[in-house]
């Protein structure tokens, strides 16, 4: 049992090691990838072993904050425990990874295949201890 | 080494039967298959049981089923490969008979999804995608949107798949849904994950299917005209560093390629196909993956009517997952049941005239970073 004052009201990532949020404003969060030191393959989420060459020396690299929307859907019938509608999609990053992501900042008009997207970190939900759970999301590039 | 043959098949009707139990569904299918083969089930040397264990039920299900018919002490293997569980059980049986280990084997596939209540099959939370709201309809909606974007496939072409399979389902007394639907009804049904409405999605349900599989030597004792398994292939997805092409399915292509090569039977030689139409877009992409047409031409194939019951290559004469239903573990075995009936000329109003060869394709499991989890392709011939 955690003491309440330790846990209530903190923000926690949906999973450790997916993204980083540097301290300065405006916030410019980025995803954490792995690059194989032997063959250069890049992965997200991070991996301990390279699927391409079985190399076991991976370096952590920041991935680009911008990418292109490969495909998406607006989910009207949600996964258990989530509230619809929400949008999810795949975003292609210049490093050669196709990232599954929740989408934000969308309306019925502004999503389309091939559009530019940028990364933000936002609230995803709440955990059993009352902490705010955050995850990375992509939104249509503004401006 | 002779062929491996299917000498008996049986199934339950597919539908929603929350009052029944897994073992009771499975027994009905198994007893039907035993009777169909004319085999004394006490002679069964091994059993392979496909089941996905939804809601934490069904541990040691195979042993429970065999216990209930008094066939005990033999090797029993419970096989879980999501939607390919039943067909993976067939793959096990065929492989072990072909290697000379057994002569006579029972395969059962069974599932009961109605007890889970309504809604989508819960995603796996160990997968980052599942954790963040991926659902199976969402995945296939994303496939559909990309396929439409790259190849000009239309939503109406996708809907035609559902119209066709429901029409076929009307002719199948075992189908969960035996009603025709129109393009308009599909368009106006509830949106699940856009652009896919609920009538683009296969239903959840309950049911079981079974097959008695044996060596050619044993088959000759029971029938002069056994159905032969000309190819049996299982593949898993390819990991490609999260750069999967959603418009195609590499593992279906590989499985089909291997099946065509080992059997010497190509797509142009097939008389019918039962394929994994969990969503309308899946059927269209598998036309391409199975080599019925070029990549991107799946929509045109449905427009031409080529895959209708009366077309040049009927696809899902049983009604497919969309109309016959999709009790996960049962599906792969039920496809084999349908093809055996078709090849024997016992498919009633949905009979494909003169069918001599059929292909069954099953695919399951959206897993982070893999194209999909498990794929089987079986080719059966007279």
């Amino acid at each position: 049992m955690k003491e309440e004052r330790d846990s209530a009201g903190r923000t926690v990532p949906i999973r450790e090691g997916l993204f980083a949020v540097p301290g300065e404003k405006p916030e410019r969060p980025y995803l954490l990838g792995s690059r194989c030191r032997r063959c250069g393959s890049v992965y997200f989420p991070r991996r301990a072993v390279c699927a391409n060459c079985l190399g076991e020396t991976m370096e952590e690299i920041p991935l680009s904050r911008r990418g292109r929307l490969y495909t998406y859907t607006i989910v009207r019938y949600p996964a258990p425990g989530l509230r619809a509608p929400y949008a999810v999609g795949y975003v292609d990053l210049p490093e050669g990874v196709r990232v599954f992501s929740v989408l934000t900042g969308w309306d019925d008009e502004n999503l389309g295949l091939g559009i530019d997207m940028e990364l933000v970190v936002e609230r995803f939900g709440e955990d059993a201890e009352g902490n705010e759970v955050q995850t990375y999301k992509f939104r249509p590039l503004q401006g | 080494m002779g062929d491996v043959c299917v000498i008996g098949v049986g199934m339950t009707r597919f539908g929603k039967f929350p009052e029944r139990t897994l073992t009771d569904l499975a027994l009905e299918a198994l007893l039907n298959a035993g009777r169909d083969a004319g085999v004394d089930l006490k002679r069964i040397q091994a059993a392979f049981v496909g089941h996905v264990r939804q809601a934490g039920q069904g541990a040691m299900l195979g042993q429970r089923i065999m216990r209930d018919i008094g066939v005990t002490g033999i090797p029993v293997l419970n096989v879980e490969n999501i939607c390919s569980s039943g067909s993976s059980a067939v793959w096990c049986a065929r492989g072990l008979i072909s290697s000379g280990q057994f002569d006579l084997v029972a395969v059962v596939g069974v599932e009961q999804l109605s007890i889970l209540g309504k809604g989508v099959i819960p995603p796996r939370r160990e997968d980052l995608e599942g954790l963040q709201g991926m659902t199976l309809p969402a995945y296939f909606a994303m496939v559909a949107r990309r396929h439409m974007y790259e190849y000009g496939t239309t939503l109406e072409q996708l809907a035609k798949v559902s119209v066709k399979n429901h029409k076929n389902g009307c002719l199948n007394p075992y189908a969960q849904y035996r009603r025709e639907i129109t393009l308009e009804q599909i368009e106006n049904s509830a949106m699940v994950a856009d652009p896919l409405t609920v009538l683009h999605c296969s239903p959840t349900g309950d049911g079981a299917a079974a097959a008695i599989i044996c060596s050619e030597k044993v088959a000759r004792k029971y029938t002069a005209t056994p159905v032969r398994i000309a190819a049996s292939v299982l593949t898993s997805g390819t990991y490609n560093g999260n750069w999967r092409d959603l418009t195609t399915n590499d593992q279906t292509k590989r499985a089909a390629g291997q099946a065509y090569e080992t059997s010497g039977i190509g797509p142009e030689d097939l008389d019918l196909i039962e394929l994994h139409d969990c969503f309308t877009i899946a059927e269209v992409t598998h036309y391409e993956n199975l080599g019925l047409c070029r990549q991107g031409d799946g929509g045109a194939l449905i427009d031409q009517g080529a895959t209708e019951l009366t077309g040049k290559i009927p696809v899902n004469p049983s009604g497919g997952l969309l109309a016959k239903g999709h009790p996960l573990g049962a599906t792969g075995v039920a496809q084999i049941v349908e093809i055996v009936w078709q090849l024997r000329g016992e498919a009633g109003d949905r009979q494909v005239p003169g069918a001599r060869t059929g292909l069954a394709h099953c695919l399951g499991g959206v897993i982070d970073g893999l194209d999909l989890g498990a794929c089987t392709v079986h080719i059966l011939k007279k």
Side-chain angles (χ1 to χ4, degrees), chain A residues 30-53:
Chain A
Y30 55 87
L31 297 176
L32 300 169
S34 301
R35 183 165 51 207
C36 173
R37 288 185 195 273
R38 194 152 76 181
C39 75
S41 298
V42 176
Y43 300 99
F44 175 83
R46 295 178 307 174
R47 297 172 57 96
V49 179
C50 176
N52 181 47
C53 75

PDB file of all heavy atoms in Angstrom, chain A residues 30-53:
ATOM      1  N   TYR A  30       9.987  14.423 -27.084  1.00  0.00           N
ATOM      2  CA  TYR A  30      10.377  13.570 -28.205  1.00  0.00           C
ATOM      3  C   TYR A  30      10.301  12.113 -27.789  1.00  0.00           C
ATOM      4  O   TYR A  30      10.316  11.794 -26.601  1.00  0.00           O
ATOM      5  CB  TYR A  30      11.789  13.920 -28.713  1.00  0.00           C
ATOM      6  CG  TYR A  30      12.864  13.888 -27.639  1.00  0.00           C
ATOM      7  CD1 TYR A  30      13.513  12.691 -27.333  1.00  0.00           C
ATOM      8  CD2 TYR A  30      13.218  15.046 -26.940  1.00  0.00           C
ATOM      9  CE1 TYR A  30      14.493  12.660 -26.348  1.00  0.00           C
ATOM     10  CE2 TYR A  30      14.196  15.023 -25.959  1.00  0.00           C
ATOM     11  CZ  TYR A  30      14.837  13.823 -25.661  1.00  0.00           C
ATOM     12  OH  TYR A  30      15.796  13.776 -24.688  1.00  0.00           O
ATOM     13  N   LEU A  31      10.203  11.238 -28.781  1.00  0.00           N
ATOM     14  CA  LEU A  31      10.172   9.800 -28.525  1.00  0.00           C
ATOM     15  C   LEU A  31      11.587   9.262 -28.406  1.00  0.00           C
ATOM     16  O   LEU A  31      12.517   9.775 -29.037  1.00  0.00           O
ATOM     17  CB  LEU A  31       9.453   9.066 -29.672  1.00  0.00           C
ATOM     18  CG  LEU A  31       7.970   9.412 -29.870  1.00  0.00           C
ATOM     19  CD1 LEU A  31       7.420   8.691 -31.098  1.00  0.00           C
ATOM     20  CD2 LEU A  31       7.158   9.051 -28.629  1.00  0.00           C
ATOM     21  N   LEU A  32      11.743   8.220 -27.597  1.00  0.00           N
ATOM     22  CA  LEU A  32      13.043   7.596 -27.410  1.00  0.00           C
ATOM     23  C   LEU A  32      13.120   6.332 -28.263  1.00  0.00           C
ATOM     24  O   LEU A  32      12.323   5.400 -28.092  1.00  0.00           O
ATOM     25  CB  LEU A  32      13.232   7.201 -25.942  1.00  0.00           C
ATOM     26  CG  LEU A  32      13.169   8.364 -24.937  1.00  0.00           C
ATOM     27  CD1 LEU A  32      13.093   7.831 -23.518  1.00  0.00           C
ATOM     28  CD2 LEU A  32      14.386   9.256 -25.111  1.00  0.00           C
ATOM     29  N   GLY A  33      14.070   6.326 -29.183  1.00  0.00           N
ATOM     30  CA  GLY A  33      14.254   5.144 -30.021  1.00  0.00           C
ATOM     31  C   GLY A  33      15.558   4.450 -29.670  1.00  0.00           C
ATOM     32  O   GLY A  33      16.335   4.926 -28.844  1.00  0.00           O
ATOM     33  N   SER A  34      15.775   3.303 -30.295  1.00  0.00           N
ATOM     34  CA  SER A  34      17.069   2.613 -30.167  1.00  0.00           C
ATOM     35  C   SER A  34      17.700   2.560 -31.539  1.00  0.00           C
ATOM     36  O   SER A  34      17.001   2.297 -32.527  1.00  0.00           O
ATOM     37  CB  SER A  34      16.900   1.153 -29.740  1.00  0.00           C
ATOM     38  OG  SER A  34      16.245   1.031 -28.537  1.00  0.00           O
ATOM     39  N   ARG A  35      19.027   2.750 -31.578  1.00  0.00           N
ATOM     40  CA  ARG A  35      19.741   2.521 -32.837  1.00  0.00           C
ATOM     41  C   ARG A  35      20.811   1.469 -32.582  1.00  0.00           C
ATOM     42  O   ARG A  35      21.549   1.554 -31.605  1.00  0.00           O
ATOM     43  CB  ARG A  35      20.379   3.811 -33.361  1.00  0.00           C
ATOM     44  CG  ARG A  35      21.058   3.586 -34.723  1.00  0.00           C
ATOM     45  CD  ARG A  35      21.388   4.869 -35.453  1.00  0.00           C
ATOM     46  NE  ARG A  35      22.122   5.777 -34.564  1.00  0.00           N
ATOM     47  CZ  ARG A  35      22.099   7.114 -34.706  1.00  0.00           C
ATOM     48  NH1 ARG A  35      21.389   7.673 -35.649  1.00  0.00           N
ATOM     49  NH2 ARG A  35      22.794   7.867 -33.875  1.00  0.00           N
ATOM     50  N   CYS A  36      20.861   0.504 -33.468  1.00  0.00           N
ATOM     51  CA  CYS A  36      21.841  -0.567 -33.313  1.00  0.00           C
ATOM     52  C   CYS A  36      23.223  -0.035 -33.687  1.00  0.00           C
ATOM     53  O   CYS A  36      23.396   0.520 -34.773  1.00  0.00           O
ATOM     54  CB  CYS A  36      21.458  -1.730 -34.217  1.00  0.00           C
ATOM     55  SG  CYS A  36      22.694  -3.030 -34.248  1.00  0.00           S
ATOM     56  N   ARG A  37      24.199  -0.223 -32.792  1.00  0.00           N
ATOM     57  CA  ARG A  37      25.551   0.281 -33.080  1.00  0.00           C
ATOM     58  C   ARG A  37      26.224  -0.520 -34.195  1.00  0.00           C
ATOM     59  O   ARG A  37      27.172  -0.058 -34.813  1.00  0.00           O
ATOM     60  CB  ARG A  37      26.420   0.202 -31.816  1.00  0.00           C
ATOM     61  CG  ARG A  37      26.038   1.230 -30.759  1.00  0.00           C
ATOM     62  CD  ARG A  37      27.018   1.179 -29.590  1.00  0.00           C
ATOM     63  NE  ARG A  37      26.494   1.892 -28.422  1.00  0.00           N
ATOM     64  CZ  ARG A  37      26.660   3.199 -28.224  1.00  0.00           C
ATOM     65  NH1 ARG A  37      27.330   3.924 -29.102  1.00  0.00           N
ATOM     66  NH2 ARG A  37      26.167   3.762 -27.143  1.00  0.00           N
ATOM     67  N   ARG A  38      25.712  -1.730 -34.427  1.00  0.00           N
ATOM     68  CA  ARG A  38      26.353  -2.573 -35.432  1.00  0.00           C
ATOM     69  C   ARG A  38      25.805  -2.307 -36.845  1.00  0.00           C
ATOM     70  O   ARG A  38      26.557  -2.137 -37.784  1.00  0.00           O
ATOM     71  CB  ARG A  38      26.165  -4.047 -35.059  1.00  0.00           C
ATOM     72  CG  ARG A  38      27.073  -4.963 -35.857  1.00  0.00           C
ATOM     73  CD  ARG A  38      27.405  -6.223 -35.114  1.00  0.00           C
ATOM     74  NE  ARG A  38      26.284  -7.159 -35.131  1.00  0.00           N
ATOM     75  CZ  ARG A  38      26.312  -8.348 -34.522  1.00  0.00           C
ATOM     76  NH1 ARG A  38      27.398  -8.710 -33.849  1.00  0.00           N
ATOM     77  NH2 ARG A  38      25.278  -9.141 -34.573  1.00  0.00           N
ATOM     78  N   CYS A  39      24.467  -2.266 -36.972  1.00  0.00           N
ATOM     79  CA  CYS A  39      23.923  -2.153 -38.344  1.00  0.00           C
ATOM     80  C   CYS A  39      23.120  -0.875 -38.570  1.00  0.00           C
ATOM     81  O   CYS A  39      22.700  -0.597 -39.685  1.00  0.00           O
ATOM     82  CB  CYS A  39      23.062  -3.372 -38.691  1.00  0.00           C
ATOM     83  SG  CYS A  39      21.442  -3.370 -37.891  1.00  0.00           S
ATOM     84  N   GLY A  40      22.899  -0.100 -37.505  1.00  0.00           N
ATOM     85  CA  GLY A  40      22.244   1.188 -37.702  1.00  0.00           C
ATOM     86  C   GLY A  40      20.725   1.140 -37.733  1.00  0.00           C
ATOM     87  O   GLY A  40      20.079   2.173 -37.904  1.00  0.00           O
ATOM     88  N   SER A  41      20.117  -0.045 -37.570  1.00  0.00           N
ATOM     89  CA  SER A  41      18.645  -0.118 -37.577  1.00  0.00           C
ATOM     90  C   SER A  41      18.074   0.678 -36.408  1.00  0.00           C
ATOM     91  O   SER A  41      18.642   0.675 -35.313  1.00  0.00           O
ATOM     92  CB  SER A  41      18.182  -1.570 -37.452  1.00  0.00           C
ATOM     93  OG  SER A  41      18.627  -2.312 -38.550  1.00  0.00           O
ATOM     94  N   VAL A  42      16.949   1.339 -36.676  1.00  0.00           N
ATOM     95  CA  VAL A  42      16.325   2.171 -35.647  1.00  0.00           C
ATOM     96  C   VAL A  42      14.979   1.573 -35.248  1.00  0.00           C
ATOM     97  O   VAL A  42      14.233   1.086 -36.108  1.00  0.00           O
ATOM     98  CB  VAL A  42      16.123   3.615 -36.169  1.00  0.00           C
ATOM     99  CG1 VAL A  42      15.379   4.484 -35.143  1.00  0.00           C
ATOM    100  CG2 VAL A  42      17.471   4.245 -36.501  1.00  0.00           C
ATOM    101  N   TYR A  43      14.683   1.615 -33.961  1.00  0.00           N
ATOM    102  CA  TYR A  43      13.438   1.022 -33.455  1.00  0.00           C
ATOM    103  C   TYR A  43      12.699   1.954 -32.508  1.00  0.00           C
ATOM    104  O   TYR A  43      13.304   2.737 -31.789  1.00  0.00           O
ATOM    105  CB  TYR A  43      13.760  -0.274 -32.675  1.00  0.00           C
ATOM    106  CG  TYR A  43      14.434  -1.306 -33.519  1.00  0.00           C
ATOM    107  CD1 TYR A  43      15.818  -1.470 -33.481  1.00  0.00           C
ATOM    108  CD2 TYR A  43      13.696  -2.101 -34.386  1.00  0.00           C
ATOM    109  CE1 TYR A  43      16.450  -2.404 -34.278  1.00  0.00           C
ATOM    110  CE2 TYR A  43      14.321  -3.047 -35.185  1.00  0.00           C
ATOM    111  CZ  TYR A  43      15.693  -3.191 -35.133  1.00  0.00           C
ATOM    112  OH  TYR A  43      16.309  -4.114 -35.927  1.00  0.00           O
ATOM    113  N   PHE A  44      11.376   1.839 -32.533  1.00  0.00           N
ATOM    114  CA  PHE A  44      10.539   2.408 -31.484  1.00  0.00           C
ATOM    115  C   PHE A  44       9.421   1.433 -31.220  1.00  0.00           C
ATOM    116  O   PHE A  44       8.783   0.985 -32.174  1.00  0.00           O
ATOM    117  CB  PHE A  44       9.950   3.775 -31.875  1.00  0.00           C
ATOM    118  CG  PHE A  44       9.003   4.281 -30.817  1.00  0.00           C
ATOM    119  CD1 PHE A  44       9.502   4.932 -29.695  1.00  0.00           C
ATOM    120  CD2 PHE A  44       7.632   4.031 -30.897  1.00  0.00           C
ATOM    121  CE1 PHE A  44       8.644   5.359 -28.686  1.00  0.00           C
ATOM    122  CE2 PHE A  44       6.773   4.455 -29.888  1.00  0.00           C
ATOM    123  CZ  PHE A  44       7.280   5.118 -28.787  1.00  0.00           C
ATOM    124  N   PRO A  45       9.085   1.076 -29.988  1.00  0.00           N
ATOM    125  CA  PRO A  45       9.799   1.440 -28.768  1.00  0.00           C
ATOM    126  C   PRO A  45      11.213   0.840 -28.742  1.00  0.00           C
ATOM    127  O   PRO A  45      11.548   0.022 -29.577  1.00  0.00           O
ATOM    128  CB  PRO A  45       8.934   0.829 -27.664  1.00  0.00           C
ATOM    129  CG  PRO A  45       7.719   0.267 -28.312  1.00  0.00           C
ATOM    130  CD  PRO A  45       7.955   0.190 -29.757  1.00  0.00           C
ATOM    131  N   ARG A  46      11.992   1.254 -27.717  1.00  0.00           N
ATOM    132  CA  ARG A  46      13.379   0.809 -27.615  1.00  0.00           C
ATOM    133  C   ARG A  46      13.446  -0.714 -27.494  1.00  0.00           C
ATOM    134  O   ARG A  46      12.529  -1.337 -26.996  1.00  0.00           O
ATOM    135  CB  ARG A  46      14.040   1.446 -26.390  1.00  0.00           C
ATOM    136  CG  ARG A  46      14.154   2.948 -26.500  1.00  0.00           C
ATOM    137  CD  ARG A  46      14.767   3.538 -25.259  1.00  0.00           C
ATOM    138  NE  ARG A  46      14.062   3.096 -24.047  1.00  0.00           N
ATOM    139  CZ  ARG A  46      14.465   3.379 -22.819  1.00  0.00           C
ATOM    140  NH1 ARG A  46      15.570   4.093 -22.629  1.00  0.00           N
ATOM    141  NH2 ARG A  46      13.792   2.960 -21.779  1.00  0.00           N
ATOM    142  N   ARG A  47      14.547  -1.263 -27.969  1.00  0.00           N
ATOM    143  CA  ARG A  47      14.747  -2.708 -27.880  1.00  0.00           C
ATOM    144  C   ARG A  47      16.116  -3.006 -27.305  1.00  0.00           C
ATOM    145  O   ARG A  47      17.039  -2.214 -27.453  1.00  0.00           O
ATOM    146  CB  ARG A  47      14.712  -3.343 -29.273  1.00  0.00           C
ATOM    147  CG  ARG A  47      13.422  -3.215 -30.011  1.00  0.00           C
ATOM    148  CD  ARG A  47      13.598  -3.724 -31.436  1.00  0.00           C
ATOM    149  NE  ARG A  47      14.066  -5.097 -31.453  1.00  0.00           N
ATOM    150  CZ  ARG A  47      13.269  -6.156 -31.579  1.00  0.00           C
ATOM    151  NH1 ARG A  47      11.986  -5.986 -31.679  1.00  0.00           N
ATOM    152  NH2 ARG A  47      13.768  -7.376 -31.600  1.00  0.00           N
ATOM    153  N   ALA A  48      16.246  -4.192 -26.704  1.00  0.00           N
ATOM    154  CA  ALA A  48      17.535  -4.603 -26.157  1.00  0.00           C
ATOM    155  C   ALA A  48      18.376  -5.299 -27.220  1.00  0.00           C
ATOM    156  O   ALA A  48      19.597  -5.292 -27.184  1.00  0.00           O
ATOM    157  CB  ALA A  48      17.325  -5.546 -24.972  1.00  0.00           C
ATOM    158  N   VAL A  49      17.691  -5.930 -28.173  1.00  0.00           N
ATOM    159  CA  VAL A  49      18.365  -6.732 -29.188  1.00  0.00           C
ATOM    160  C   VAL A  49      17.891  -6.269 -30.561  1.00  0.00           C
ATOM    161  O   VAL A  49      16.708  -6.008 -30.767  1.00  0.00           O
ATOM    162  CB  VAL A  49      18.006  -8.236 -29.010  1.00  0.00           C
ATOM    163  CG1 VAL A  49      18.686  -9.076 -30.084  1.00  0.00           C
ATOM    164  CG2 VAL A  49      18.398  -8.722 -27.633  1.00  0.00           C
ATOM    165  N   CYS A  50      18.828  -6.159 -31.513  1.00  0.00           N
ATOM    166  CA  CYS A  50      18.464  -5.722 -32.856  1.00  0.00           C
ATOM    167  C   CYS A  50      17.815  -6.877 -33.617  1.00  0.00           C
ATOM    168  O   CYS A  50      18.391  -7.964 -33.723  1.00  0.00           O
ATOM    169  CB  CYS A  50      19.713  -5.248 -33.609  1.00  0.00           C
ATOM    170  SG  CYS A  50      19.350  -4.799 -35.317  1.00  0.00           S
ATOM    171  N   ALA A  51      16.607  -6.630 -34.143  1.00  0.00           N
ATOM    172  CA  ALA A  51      15.890  -7.673 -34.875  1.00  0.00           C
ATOM    173  C   ALA A  51      16.548  -7.950 -36.222  1.00  0.00           C
ATOM    174  O   ALA A  51      16.354  -8.997 -36.815  1.00  0.00           O
ATOM    175  CB  ALA A  51      14.438  -7.255 -35.093  1.00  0.00           C
ATOM    176  N   ASN A  52      17.332  -7.000 -36.693  1.00  0.00           N
ATOM    177  CA  ASN A  52      17.967  -7.161 -37.991  1.00  0.00           C
ATOM    178  C   ASN A  52      19.239  -8.007 -37.909  1.00  0.00           C
ATOM    179  O   ASN A  52      19.425  -8.939 -38.680  1.00  0.00           O
ATOM    180  CB  ASN A  52      18.275  -5.784 -38.576  1.00  0.00           C
ATOM    181  CG  ASN A  52      18.911  -5.872 -39.945  1.00  0.00           C
ATOM    182  OD1 ASN A  52      18.439  -6.607 -40.798  1.00  0.00           O
ATOM    183  ND2 ASN A  52      20.011  -5.152 -40.145  1.00  0.00           N
ATOM    184  N   CYS A  53      20.138  -7.681 -36.935  1.00  0.00           N
ATOM    185  CA  CYS A  53      21.442  -8.360 -36.905  1.00  0.00           C
ATOM    186  C   CYS A  53      21.727  -9.039 -35.570  1.00  0.00           C
ATOM    187  O   CYS A  53      22.822  -9.564 -35.377  1.00  0.00           O
ATOM    188  CB  CYS A  53      22.558  -7.379 -37.249  1.00  0.00           C
ATOM    189  SG  CYS A  53      22.951  -6.227 -35.906  1.00  0.00           S
TER     190      CYS A  53
END
